[in-house]
Amino acid sequence: MELLIVTGMSGAGKSRVADVLEDIGFFCVDNMPPKLLPTFTQILMQSREERSRIAIVVDARLGGSFNDLFDVLGELKSMDCNYKILFVDADNDVLLHRYQETRRKHPLSDKYGYETSEAIAKEREILLPARTAADFLVDTSQMTTATLKSRIAGMFLTDAVKSLKISCCSFGFKYGIPKESDLVFDVRCLPNPFYVPELKEHTGLEAPVRDYVMKFDQSKNLVPKLFDLVDYLVPLYREEGKSQLTIAVGCTGGKHRSVVFAELLYDHLNSRGDTCNVFHRDINR
């Protein structure tokens, strides 16, 4: 049985993540007290029902009982339960804006009497050990609902659950580097299709833009060097037991050059048999 523990900041999108996980075949349970995890897991492991993929949301809404989580994880290990932790995060400013926009109260506000900004800071402090121990990290600060769905589905829709999952991400530096990035490559040194009038409104997913980017020697020479570095690094990450590797490729706006190279990396890694997905964070901005 594969057990995924979903946690993270309130307002970062855990409910949406759970919805996506349910759509791709996970049995999802929201807001379970950690002390119930071993009993619940044991029941599922002994059940006749086929529930091979379970996702359980555990977060700061539980108050002080959230701190029981790490004691419980030791019990799960003794039961030979294969679990992973997914942490859903977002910038403090983004979280504050989301609470202001929805006019909802932060779950810690009533208990501690905090203003929303203070409650967010307190929650981040409480959740720091979980974030540090997480096998997967997803930062939703710049993600649309569709992008988040694509990201989660790409991470967990494969059967190779024990392998290193690689995400190739394009982004625009003007919107910030993706927080979950492990490797960041800057392709702003290459000729920019943005300044070609007939290409400006198109993206790197389209042949005219791709052909333009790749017609220059700078681009052609960069490809084998980039592939060689990635081919060298990926096995090292796998040997270290890393579960998720995010390779981010950035250009100025995240629509042209970075998209072309993220797609090239994705095709290359797929051809090697790696478990890989690709998403383009800023392509529709």
Side-chain angles (χ1 to χ4, degrees):
M1 185 181 72
E2 178 189 0
L3 174 62
L4 182 66
I5 298 171
V6 181
T7 189
M9 297 295 293
S10 301
K14 296 188 299 297
S15 296
R16 289 179 179 176
V17 168
D19 289 342
V20 177
L21 290 170
E22 195 165 46
D23 288 343
I24 63 176
F26 278 81
F27 176 71
C28 297
V29 181
D30 187 27
N31 205 21
M32 176 178 286
K35 284 188 176 180
L36 296 181
L37 270 171
T39 302
F40 179 75
T41 302
Q42 191 171 36
I43 291 171
L44 288 176
M45 292 173 73
Q46 296 173 349
S47 173
R48 294 179 181 178
E49 293 187 43
E50 290 294 328
R51 298 195 188 278
S52 59
R53 309 186 84 186
I54 315 296
I56 298 177
V57 180
V58 180
D59 57 37
R61 288 174 294 171
L62 297 166
S65 64
F66 177 82
N67 296 322
D68 298 327
L69 177 62
F70 288 95
D71 293 333
V72 164
L73 293 181
E75 293 185 50
L76 293 178
K77 283 184 179 179
S78 68
M79 295 166 56
D80 292 327
C81 177
N82 173 36
Y83 72 84
K84 298 287 185 183
I85 299 175
L86 167 63
F87 194 95
V88 187
D89 203 354
D91 292 338
N92 286 4
D93 289 344
V94 173
L95 295 173
L96 182 59
H97 175 73
R98 290 175 182 174
Y99 276 105
Q100 290 172 339
E101 193 172 47
T102 61
R103 301 191 179 187
R104 296 188 63 193
K105 288 193 301 185
H106 191 281
L108 299 185
S109 295
D110 285 341
K111 182 172 183 179
Y112 295 102
Y114 291 137
E115 294 291 332
T116 302
S117 59
E118 295 173 329
I120 291 171
K122 179 63 176 179
E123 182 182 33
R124 191 170 294 285
E125 178 186 328
I126 293 171
L127 296 180
L128 180 58
R131 192 184 194 281
T132 303
D135 300 283
F136 305 101
L137 171 65
V138 173
D139 188 292
T140 67
S141 300
Q142 302 290 342
M143 286 189 183
T144 63
T145 300
T147 303
L148 177 60
K149 182 175 182 179
S150 174
R151 178 88 165 99
I152 298 299
M155 291 169 64
F156 297 104
L157 198 54
T158 67
D159 292 328
V161 295
K162 293 183 179 179
S163 67
L164 173 66
K165 296 177 175 66
I166 306 173
S167 296
C168 298
C169 167
S170 70
F171 71 95
F173 275 97
K174 66 191 294 184
Y175 304 114
I177 298 173
K179 293 293 181 63
E180 65 266 40
S181 303
D182 297 293
L183 297 172
V184 178
F185 296 105
D186 183 351
V187 294
R188 289 176 293 181
C189 56
L190 303 177
N192 193 350
F194 179 84
Y195 297 108
V196 181
E198 59 268 28
L199 299 178
K200 179 178 179 180
E201 300 303 324
H202 295 273
T203 76
L205 293 177
E206 299 171 79
V209 174
R210 185 169 60 250
D211 293 344
Y212 176 85
V213 170
M214 295 310 301
K215 76 177 182 179
F216 297 97
D217 288 340
Q218 300 98 304
S219 301
K220 294 175 183 176
N221 293 334
L222 177 58
V223 171
K225 297 178 187 296
L226 184 60
F227 287 177
D228 284 346
L229 180 58
V230 169
D231 289 348
Y232 176 75
L233 291 175
V234 166
L236 299 182
Y237 282 111
R238 185 178 287 112
E239 289 171 13
E240 284 298 309
K242 192 169 177 62
S243 300
Q244 173 191 0
L245 179 70
T246 300
I247 304 175
V249 185
C251 61
T252 304
K255 294 183 65 171
H256 301 111
R257 295 163 292 179
S258 62
V259 173
V260 171
F261 271 81
E263 288 286 333
L264 286 171
L265 271 174
Y266 168 71
D267 290 340
H268 173 69
L269 291 166
N270 258 347
S271 71
R272 290 173 15 129
D274 289 301
T275 303
C276 187
N277 67 88
V278 63
F279 69 104
H280 306 293
R281 192 191 71 179
D282 301 322
I283 195 170
N284 293 317
R285 286 179 177 266

